[in-house]
Amino acid sequence: TQLLEQSPQFLSIQEGENLTVYCNSSSVFSSLQWYRQEPGEGPVLLVTVVTGGEVKKLKRLTFQFGDARKDSSLHITAAQPGDTGLYLCAGNAGANSKLTFGKGITLSVRP
Amino acid sequence: GAGVSQSPSNKVTEKGKDVELRCDPISGHTALYWYRQSLGQGLEFLIYFQGNSAPDKSGLPSDRFSAERTGGSVSTLTIQRTQQEDSAVYLCASSLVRTSTYEQYFGPGTRLTVT
């Protein structure tokens, strides 16, 4: 069973601060995705990373896939209240189209 | 284009009653997934469809839960004899398997409350 552990579980920061959160596993994934979910809505895909060591940027968000494709990080620069939400990582091991989801990181950015 | 839609958006039912939750995936998406999410928690996988067949039902919590998909499109999740612990948000997602990275597109969810 592939497990994805996300840390920290909860994070509350002030607007303008930088932060990094993590998604770790002992398993290798062929691809990994990050989603953001706001209250009352379904998760929305932010990014997919496929190649070990890959870095992708989405405005103030920087995603990195570990060299061994077992982990990923999300760095947010100058966080804003609009970044508030539940951040989920999900990995695909390649055997089928099922994704394994982490439990998520609840981020609160205070104005 | 239209995204994934789910109905109803909210459902309040009495303990012991049956409920049906509906999911309309994005047109052309062959894979469909059901998840359950308790308040503030991550996603609990329930069942996955590829076309009309369900190769993975491993997440269904009990035999009170069942799901079907017809015409490779609409799916219905049925919960029989509902219990209070069934209260949660039920999310549906669809995926275009051809992409090989299986990005999932989620609906807004159905919030189920069992009283």
Side-chain angles (χ1 to χ4, degrees):
Chain A
T1 303
Q2 300 97 18
L3 293 176
L4 281 166
E5 295 186 1
Q6 294 190 249
S7 61
Q9 187 176 359
F10 299 97
L11 188 57
S12 180
I13 62 171
Q14 200 71 34
E15 181 177 2
E17 292 183 10
N18 301 332
L19 66 118
T20 302
V21 296
Y22 302 92
C23 173
N24 296 306
S25 177
S26 58
S27 302
V28 175
F29 291 95
S30 59
S31 65
L32 195 140
Q33 298 155 22
W34 285 89
Y35 295 79
R36 180 171 66 212
Q37 184 179 22
E38 298 184 15
E41 300 181 6
V44 174
L45 178 68
L46 296 175
V47 76
T48 300
V49 287
V50 178
T51 306
E54 181 177 5
V55 176
K56 281 193 174 180
K57 293 191 175 183
L58 183 65
K59 297 183 180 178
R60 293 174 294 98
L61 278 60
T62 301
F63 304 86
Q64 184 162 7
F65 202 11
D67 290 342
R69 290 186 287 126
K70 294 182 178 181
D71 51 74
S72 180
S73 64
L74 161 59
H75 180 79
I76 301 179
T77 302
Q80 298 179 1
D83 296 327
T84 293
L86 178 68
Y87 287 80
L88 296 158
C89 67
N92 175 256
N96 54 45
S97 63
K98 178 181 171 183
L99 294 179
T100 298
F101 278 85
K103 292 187 181 299
I105 296 163
T106 299
L107 173 64
S108 174
V109 182
R110 304 184 302 275
Chain B
V4 177
S5 62
Q6 293 187 244
S7 60
S9 55
N10 283 284
K11 176 72 176 178
V12 179
T13 190
E14 292 180 353
K15 177 181 173 181
K17 295 286 180 69
D18 298 351
V19 295
E20 284 189 354
L21 313 180
R22 177 186 169 107
C23 173
D24 281 273
I26 293 173
S27 177
H29 280 196
T30 56
L32 186 147
Y33 313 80
W34 283 98
Y35 297 90
R36 181 167 70 175
Q37 186 175 37
S38 299
L39 187 62
Q41 299 298 307
L43 303 183
E44 176 188 3
F45 169 79
L46 298 178
I47 188 169
Y48 147 60
F49 287 92
Q50 178 57 41
N52 290 334
S53 64
D56 191 341
K57 305 179 182 180
S58 62
L60 294 177
S62 73
D63 59 7
R64 296 187 296 106
F65 288 72
S66 63
E68 65 175 12
R69 188 180 186 195
T70 55
S73 181
V74 172
S75 176
T76 303
L77 177 69
T78 301
I79 309 173
Q80 296 178 310
R81 305 181 302 281
T82 52
Q83 303 295 313
Q84 289 185 332
E85 60 262 29
D86 299 334
S87 295
V89 175
Y90 289 81
L91 290 162
C92 172
S94 69
S95 174
L96 186 60
V97 176
R98 285 203 309 272
T99 65
S100 79
T101 46
Y102 311 119
E103 287 94 346
Q104 296 188 8
Y105 297 85
F106 285 82
T110 293
R111 180 174 297 280
L112 174 66
T113 303
V114 182
T115 61

